[in-house]
Amino acid sequence: MFPQSSTSHNGVLSPTIPPKRKAIPSANPKKAAQLRQVELMKMRHRAQPGDPRDKDKHVAVDQKLHLKVYIEEQEGDERFFWFRKTMGTGKALDLLASQMGVSSDTVPLYLVKVPISGSEDRITLQNDKLLVEQVEDGMQVALSR
C-alpha cells in the first residue's frame, strides 16, 4: 500500500513523510557496539572544528576527539565539534562558549560529562587536565553553570 497523501491548501497533493526513527539501544552488546560505531561515524561527518584556527588545517582522524555538545539550559540545540587530543579542557570550554554564543562573564561555566545511560552520575570536568583524559571519542558533554 502507498503512503497516504495530504492535500495542501492550494489543492495539490503532497506526500506525507514519516518522521525519522531514533536507534533503540539494543540489549545485545555486539549490536549496541555496532550502533555506537555508526553514530560515531555520523558524528565525525557532521563535526566542525572547535578551534576556528583548525578549520583550514588537515588533522588526522586519530588526533581528533569528537564530542556532542549542548547547552544545559537550552534543550534541543546540540552541535558536533572536534578538538585536537592535545587540547586542555579549559581551552576547549572557552572555545565552546564562544562558538555557541554563551558568555561566562557573570557566572562561571563548566563542562559536564553526560553519561549515555541514565544510571551513571554527571561528572564536572577539571579545567586543568587534558580533555582526552576525561572524555572518550563520541561522548556527550553539556555547558553548565
Side-chain angles (χ1 to χ4, degrees), residues 78-112:
E78 60 184 26
R79 295 169 56 185
F80 302 99
F81 293 98
W82 63 265
F83 296 95
R84 292 177 184 257
K85 288 187 175 181
T86 57
M87 184 170 291
T89 304
K91 173 107 172 137
L93 174 63
D94 291 341
L95 291 168
L96 284 172
S98 67
Q99 290 263 11
M100 297 189 81
V102 178
S103 69
S104 60
D105 295 342
T106 56
V107 181
L109 283 172
Y110 302 99
L111 269 179
V112 179

Side-chain angles (χ1 to χ4, degrees), residues 27-134:
N28 181 353
K30 189 174 184 180
K31 185 74 172 177
Q34 192 177 35
L35 285 173
R36 176 146 166 75
Q37 281 298 107
V38 170
E39 288 299 315
L40 184 58
M41 288 189 319
K42 288 179 183 178
M43 182 186 293
R44 286 179 178 160
H45 180 70
R46 294 187 291 183
Q48 58 187 354
D51 189 350
R53 293 180 290 175
D54 286 338
K55 193 171 196 140
D56 297 326
K57 297 179 183 173
H58 176 72
V59 179
V61 174
D62 64 333
Q63 296 300 312
K64 293 180 182 178
L65 178 69
H66 298 82
L67 298 174
K68 182 190 295 187
V69 182
Y70 70 95
I71 302 170
E72 199 164 47
E73 297 91 25
Q74 299 174 0
E75 292 296 322
D77 183 27
E78 60 184 26
R79 295 169 56 185
F80 302 99
F81 293 98
W82 63 265
F83 296 95
R84 292 177 184 257
K85 288 187 175 181
T86 57
M87 184 170 291
T89 304
K91 173 107 172 137
L93 174 63
D94 291 341
L95 291 168
L96 284 172
S98 67
Q99 290 263 11
M100 297 189 81
V102 178
S103 69
S104 60
D105 295 342
T106 56
V107 181
L109 283 172
Y110 302 99
L111 269 179
V112 179
K113 181 168 64 170
V114 180
I116 295 171
S117 65
S119 62
E120 301 172 30
D121 290 333
R122 297 164 48 99
I123 300 169
T124 302
L125 303 181
Q126 298 174 8
N127 290 339
D128 58 340
K129 292 187 176 181
L130 289 178
L131 189 59
V132 74
E133 293 174 357
Q134 301 180 75

